[in-house]
Amino acid sequence: MTAALLRARFFAVVAAAVLLAGCAAPRPPVPDGVQVWTGRLALTVEQQASQSFSASFELRGAPESGELTLFTPLGGTAAVLAWSPGTATLRSGSEVRQFPSLEALAQEATGAPLPITALFDWLAGRPTPVEGWEADVSQVAEGRLRARRSAPPPPADLRVVFER
């Protein structure tokens, strides 16, 4: 390879890195006392044709008021689920939709009912019971969580790898 070709490839790689870095938005600072988890989650819903959903995430807040941000593979924001007493919102691109509950919002965003309020306890290592779900919190200290839903059908499997 010639030196000119090597230089051209080097500059192309640097330019691509700069462009990708320009697409990344800095995360807002975390107020004192607010819980934040980041990582990856994968949800598989078993139907005649199984559905899978996976994304990087950031979960902040509490069951009463919080935000779950789902990221694309390149680090862009795919969707933001936000909730507080009396409101639940899904933001995806320029679209903003309101929902009657956090459960309805999670169903729309992921295609399956997810117990997001219990997820806070599960990530803290507390096996809070949720009807139809069985959470395995035995590996939370290693940053791993698994929960399975048997009811209502169809069965679902949630896997989370996270950091605090």
Side-chain angles (χ1 to χ4, degrees), residues 3-163:
L5 187 55
L6 283 173
R7 254 192 319 275
R9 285 191 177 175
F10 172 77
F11 286 117
V13 168
V14 169
V18 168
L19 287 173
L20 287 174
C23 295
R27 303 244 167 86
V30 178
D32 288 339
V34 172
Q35 290 288 330
V36 178
W37 290 271
T38 59
R40 291 205 44 84
L41 62 85
L43 176 67
T44 303
V45 180
E46 299 171 20
Q47 296 181 345
Q48 288 178 341
S50 289
Q51 298 177 14
S52 293
F53 169 86
S54 66
S56 294
F57 75 92
E58 179 180 86
L59 176 64
R60 60 173 55 218
E64 304 78 30
S65 179
E67 189 173 275
L68 174 61
T69 304
L70 303 173
F71 298 99
T72 66
L74 293 178
T77 302
V80 178
L81 293 75
W83 62 94
S84 59
T87 184
T89 305
L90 172 62
R91 291 188 315 262
S92 181
S94 61
E95 184 180 0
V96 177
R97 296 178 56 198
Q98 298 290 324
F99 292 87
S101 68
L102 178 56
E103 292 76 19
L105 178 137
Q107 168 79 37
E108 179 68 22
T110 64
L114 289 178
I116 292 178
T117 55
L119 188 57
F120 285 91
D121 281 349
W122 294 349
L123 290 169
R126 295 185 299 271
T128 300
V130 174
E131 187 175 341
W133 284 86
E134 183 179 331
D136 177 2
V137 297
S138 64
Q139 294 184 329
V140 164
E142 292 84 37
R144 296 185 180 281
L145 167 69
R146 184 170 186 184
R148 294 183 186 177
R149 184 186 74 208
S150 56
D157 185 39
L158 174 66
R159 294 173 187 249
V160 182
V161 177
F162 65 94
E163 296 176 7

